[in-house]
Short mmCIF file of all heavy atoms in Angstrom, two decimals:
data_model
loop_
_atom_site.label_atom_id
_atom_site.label_comp_id
_atom_site.label_asym_id
_atom_site.label_seq_id
_atom_site.Cartn_x
_atom_site.Cartn_y
_atom_site.Cartn_z
N GLU B 316 2.94 -41.27 -30.32
CA GLU B 316 3.55 -40.06 -30.89
C GLU B 316 4.26 -39.27 -29.82
O GLU B 316 4.39 -38.05 -29.91
CB GLU B 316 2.45 -39.20 -31.55
CG GLU B 316 1.88 -39.83 -32.79
CD GLU B 316 0.71 -39.02 -33.36
OE1 GLU B 316 0.44 -37.92 -32.83
OE2 GLU B 316 0.09 -39.50 -34.31
N ASP B 317 4.64 -39.92 -28.77
CA ASP B 317 5.21 -39.20 -27.63
C ASP B 317 6.47 -39.91 -27.14
O ASP B 317 6.41 -40.92 -26.43
CB ASP B 317 4.14 -39.12 -26.51
CG ASP B 317 4.63 -38.37 -25.28
OD1 ASP B 317 5.85 -38.15 -25.16
OD2 ASP B 317 3.79 -38.04 -24.44
N GLY B 318 7.61 -39.39 -27.56
CA GLY B 318 8.88 -40.03 -27.27
C GLY B 318 9.16 -40.17 -25.78
O GLY B 318 9.73 -41.18 -25.34
N PHE B 319 8.76 -39.16 -24.99
CA PHE B 319 9.03 -39.24 -23.55
C PHE B 319 8.20 -40.33 -22.88
O PHE B 319 8.71 -41.08 -22.04
CB PHE B 319 8.79 -37.88 -22.88
CG PHE B 319 9.90 -36.90 -23.10
CD1 PHE B 319 9.75 -35.85 -23.99
CD2 PHE B 319 11.10 -37.04 -22.41
CE1 PHE B 319 10.80 -34.95 -24.20
CE2 PHE B 319 12.15 -36.15 -22.61
CZ PHE B 319 11.99 -35.09 -23.51
N THR B 320 6.91 -40.42 -23.27
CA THR B 320 6.08 -41.48 -22.69
C THR B 320 6.57 -42.85 -23.16
O THR B 320 6.57 -43.82 -22.39
CB THR B 320 4.60 -41.25 -23.07
OG1 THR B 320 4.21 -39.97 -22.61
CG2 THR B 320 3.70 -42.29 -22.42
N ALA B 321 7.01 -42.93 -24.41
CA ALA B 321 7.55 -44.19 -24.93
C ALA B 321 8.79 -44.60 -24.13
O ALA B 321 8.94 -45.76 -23.73
CB ALA B 321 7.89 -44.05 -26.41
N LEU B 322 9.64 -43.61 -23.86
CA LEU B 322 10.87 -43.91 -23.13
C LEU B 322 10.54 -44.36 -21.70
O LEU B 322 11.11 -45.33 -21.19
CB LEU B 322 11.77 -42.66 -23.11
CG LEU B 322 13.19 -42.83 -22.58
CD1 LEU B 322 13.97 -43.84 -23.42
CD2 LEU B 322 13.92 -41.48 -22.59
N ASN B 323 9.62 -43.65 -21.07
CA ASN B 323 9.21 -44.04 -19.72
C ASN B 323 8.68 -45.47 -19.71
O ASN B 323 9.04 -46.29 -18.86
CB ASN B 323 8.14 -43.07 -19.20
CG ASN B 323 7.56 -43.51 -17.86
OD1 ASN B 323 6.78 -44.46 -17.80
ND2 ASN B 323 7.94 -42.84 -16.78
N THR B 324 7.83 -45.77 -20.68
CA THR B 324 7.21 -47.10 -20.74
C THR B 324 8.26 -48.18 -21.04
O THR B 324 8.18 -49.29 -20.51
CB THR B 324 6.10 -47.11 -21.80
OG1 THR B 324 5.23 -46.00 -21.56
CG2 THR B 324 5.29 -48.40 -21.73
N ALA B 325 9.23 -47.82 -21.85
CA ALA B 325 10.29 -48.79 -22.17
C ALA B 325 11.12 -49.12 -20.92
O ALA B 325 11.79 -50.15 -20.86
CB ALA B 325 11.20 -48.23 -23.26
N PHE B 326 11.06 -48.23 -19.93
CA PHE B 326 11.83 -48.45 -18.71
C PHE B 326 10.96 -48.76 -17.49
O PHE B 326 11.41 -48.64 -16.36
CB PHE B 326 12.71 -47.22 -18.41
CG PHE B 326 13.99 -47.20 -19.20
CD1 PHE B 326 14.03 -46.64 -20.47
CD2 PHE B 326 15.15 -47.75 -18.68
CE1 PHE B 326 15.20 -46.64 -21.20
CE2 PHE B 326 16.32 -47.75 -19.41
CZ PHE B 326 16.36 -47.19 -20.68
N ILE B 327 9.71 -49.18 -17.74
CA ILE B 327 8.88 -49.56 -16.58
C ILE B 327 9.52 -50.75 -15.89
O ILE B 327 9.65 -51.82 -16.47
CB ILE B 327 7.45 -49.98 -17.00
CG1 ILE B 327 6.61 -48.77 -17.39
CG2 ILE B 327 6.75 -50.67 -15.83
CD1 ILE B 327 5.13 -49.10 -17.54
N GLU B 328 9.98 -50.52 -14.66
CA GLU B 328 10.57 -51.63 -13.93
C GLU B 328 9.76 -51.85 -12.65
O GLU B 328 9.61 -52.94 -12.15
CB GLU B 328 12.03 -51.31 -13.60
CG GLU B 328 12.83 -52.54 -13.25
CD GLU B 328 14.31 -52.22 -13.07
OE1 GLU B 328 14.65 -51.04 -13.02
OE2 GLU B 328 15.10 -53.18 -12.98
N ASP B 329 9.29 -50.71 -12.14
CA ASP B 329 8.42 -50.73 -10.97
C ASP B 329 7.67 -49.42 -10.98
O ASP B 329 7.77 -48.64 -11.93
CB ASP B 329 9.23 -50.89 -9.69
CG ASP B 329 8.37 -51.48 -8.56
OD1 ASP B 329 7.15 -51.59 -8.75
OD2 ASP B 329 8.93 -51.82 -7.51
N GLY B 330 6.95 -49.13 -9.91
CA GLY B 330 6.21 -47.88 -9.86
C GLY B 330 5.28 -47.90 -8.68
O GLY B 330 5.32 -48.81 -7.85
N ALA B 331 4.45 -46.85 -8.60
CA ALA B 331 3.53 -46.75 -7.48
C ALA B 331 2.14 -47.16 -7.94
O ALA B 331 1.70 -46.80 -9.03
CB ALA B 331 3.50 -45.31 -6.97
N PHE B 332 1.48 -47.91 -7.07
CA PHE B 332 0.12 -48.35 -7.37
C PHE B 332 -0.78 -47.94 -6.21
O PHE B 332 -0.48 -48.19 -5.05
CB PHE B 332 0.11 -49.88 -7.52
CG PHE B 332 -1.27 -50.47 -7.70
CD1 PHE B 332 -1.91 -50.44 -8.93
CD2 PHE B 332 -1.92 -51.05 -6.62
CE1 PHE B 332 -3.18 -50.98 -9.09
CE2 PHE B 332 -3.20 -51.61 -6.76
CZ PHE B 332 -3.83 -51.57 -8.00
N VAL B 333 -1.87 -47.24 -6.55
CA VAL B 333 -2.81 -46.80 -5.52
C VAL B 333 -4.21 -47.23 -5.94
O VAL B 333 -4.64 -46.96 -7.07
CB VAL B 333 -2.78 -45.26 -5.33
CG1 VAL B 333 -3.75 -44.84 -4.22
CG2 VAL B 333 -1.37 -44.78 -5.01
N LEU B 334 -4.89 -47.92 -5.04
CA LEU B 334 -6.24 -48.39 -5.34
C LEU B 334 -7.15 -47.97 -4.19
O LEU B 334 -7.02 -48.42 -3.05
CB LEU B 334 -6.25 -49.92 -5.47
CG LEU B 334 -7.61 -50.58 -5.71
CD1 LEU B 334 -8.20 -50.17 -7.06
CD2 LEU B 334 -7.47 -52.11 -5.65
N ALA B 335 -8.10 -47.04 -4.50
CA ALA B 335 -9.03 -46.58 -3.48
C ALA B 335 -10.36 -47.30 -3.69
O ALA B 335 -10.89 -47.32 -4.79
CB ALA B 335 -9.22 -45.07 -3.58
N SER B 336 -10.88 -47.89 -2.62
CA SER B 336 -12.15 -48.59 -2.75
C SER B 336 -13.27 -47.72 -2.17
O SER B 336 -13.02 -46.68 -1.56
CB SER B 336 -12.10 -49.92 -2.03
OG SER B 336 -12.00 -49.70 -0.64
N GLU B 337 -14.49 -48.17 -2.36
CA GLU B 337 -15.65 -47.35 -2.01
C GLU B 337 -15.63 -46.93 -0.53
O GLU B 337 -16.12 -45.88 -0.16
CB GLU B 337 -16.93 -48.12 -2.33
CG GLU B 337 -18.13 -47.20 -2.37
CD GLU B 337 -19.43 -47.94 -2.62
OE1 GLU B 337 -19.39 -49.13 -2.95
OE2 GLU B 337 -20.48 -47.31 -2.47
N SER B 338 -15.07 -47.80 0.32
CA SER B 338 -15.08 -47.50 1.76
C SER B 338 -14.00 -46.49 2.16
O SER B 338 -13.86 -46.14 3.32
CB SER B 338 -14.90 -48.78 2.56
OG SER B 338 -13.68 -49.40 2.19
#
Side-chain angles (χ1 to χ4, degrees):
Chain B
E316 291 175 5
D317 180 346
F319 282 105
T320 303
L322 189 61
N323 174 286
T324 309
F326 278 87
I327 285 192
E328 199 174 11
D329 203 351
F332 174 80
V333 181
L334 177 65
S336 68
E337 196 183 351
S338 58

